[in-house]
Every structure is written in structure tokens, then in C-alpha cells.
Amino acid sequence: MDDEPADRQRAVSAAVRRFPQFELAIHRLMDRSESFQDMCEELGEAELALSRIDKIPPAWRESRRAEWQELVDRLVGEVGAVLHADAARNPHVIPWPPRQN
């Protein structure tokens, strides 16, 4: 059986690490949007795989590192797009901490 609380925590942590100003929105979207939750879970899993890249055979390491990094970068872009679109739809929700000009 999967460790769902740990998977969810890894997913939330991955998104918050990248977008700390949207922490409240991340928690809200994790509860309301299965597709956002899936994206964040994939991001957490991809970051975990990338962090363990040195455990695979050296002959495959660099190609796998590039693949995992590309996936992480793509998922960060997708999560960011959802968060920015959500912020545009909910202008009364102020990201925390507020941006400094």
C-alpha cells in the first residue's frame, strides 16, 4: 500500500519549496484539484528520483539526470502556471509573504 500522507507531504513540500509565496494556495488547491495534486506528486517524485541519481550505474547516470531534471523543470512550470492562474482568478487572495517592490 502506498504511503499516502508521506506522498502528499512530499508533494506539498516540493511545491512550497518552489513557490513559497503561494503556500496557502498550494494547500487549498491540493484539497480541491486532483490534477494539481497529481502534478505536485509527480514533482515530488521527480525531485526524489533526481536526489537519488548517484545510486544508479555510472553508465546511465548522466542521461537519467538530464531526463529527471527536464521533468522537474517542466513540472515546476506547470505548477507555477496553475498557481499564477489561480491568483489571477482570486485577486482577493494575497500571496504570502507579499511581494516587495
Side-chain angles (χ1 to χ4, degrees):
M1 186 169 165
D2 288 341
D3 192 0
E4 290 181 24
D7 291 344
R8 181 182 169 93
Q9 183 56 44
R10 182 173 35 249
V12 168
S13 294
V16 170
R17 226 181 358 267
R18 303 295 180 137
F19 303 99
Q21 71 275 27
F22 291 109
E23 184 171 3
L24 295 176
I26 290 166
H27 285 280
R28 184 173 42 78
L29 287 166
M30 288 290 289
D31 290 336
R32 294 184 180 169
S33 171
E34 189 173 332
S35 63
F36 183 78
Q37 183 177 350
D38 290 345
M39 250 188 283
C40 291
E41 287 175 356
E42 286 181 42
L43 176 59
E45 291 169 6
E47 285 183 343
L48 182 62
L50 190 57
S51 75
R52 295 178 176 172
I53 201 73
D54 291 332
K55 295 180 181 179
I56 66 170
W60 298 335
R61 195 172 295 153
E62 288 312 309
S63 64
R64 295 294 183 255
R65 183 186 319 273
E67 289 173 11
W68 285 114
Q69 187 62 59
E70 184 178 318
L71 180 59
V72 166
D73 293 344
R74 181 180 58 80
L75 289 165
V76 166
E78 291 177 11
V79 168
V82 170
L83 291 169
H84 285 94
D86 180 68
R89 280 191 306 273
N90 298 305
H92 63 281
V93 177
I94 300 170
W96 189 259
R99 289 186 182 166
Q100 302 286 323
N101 289 339

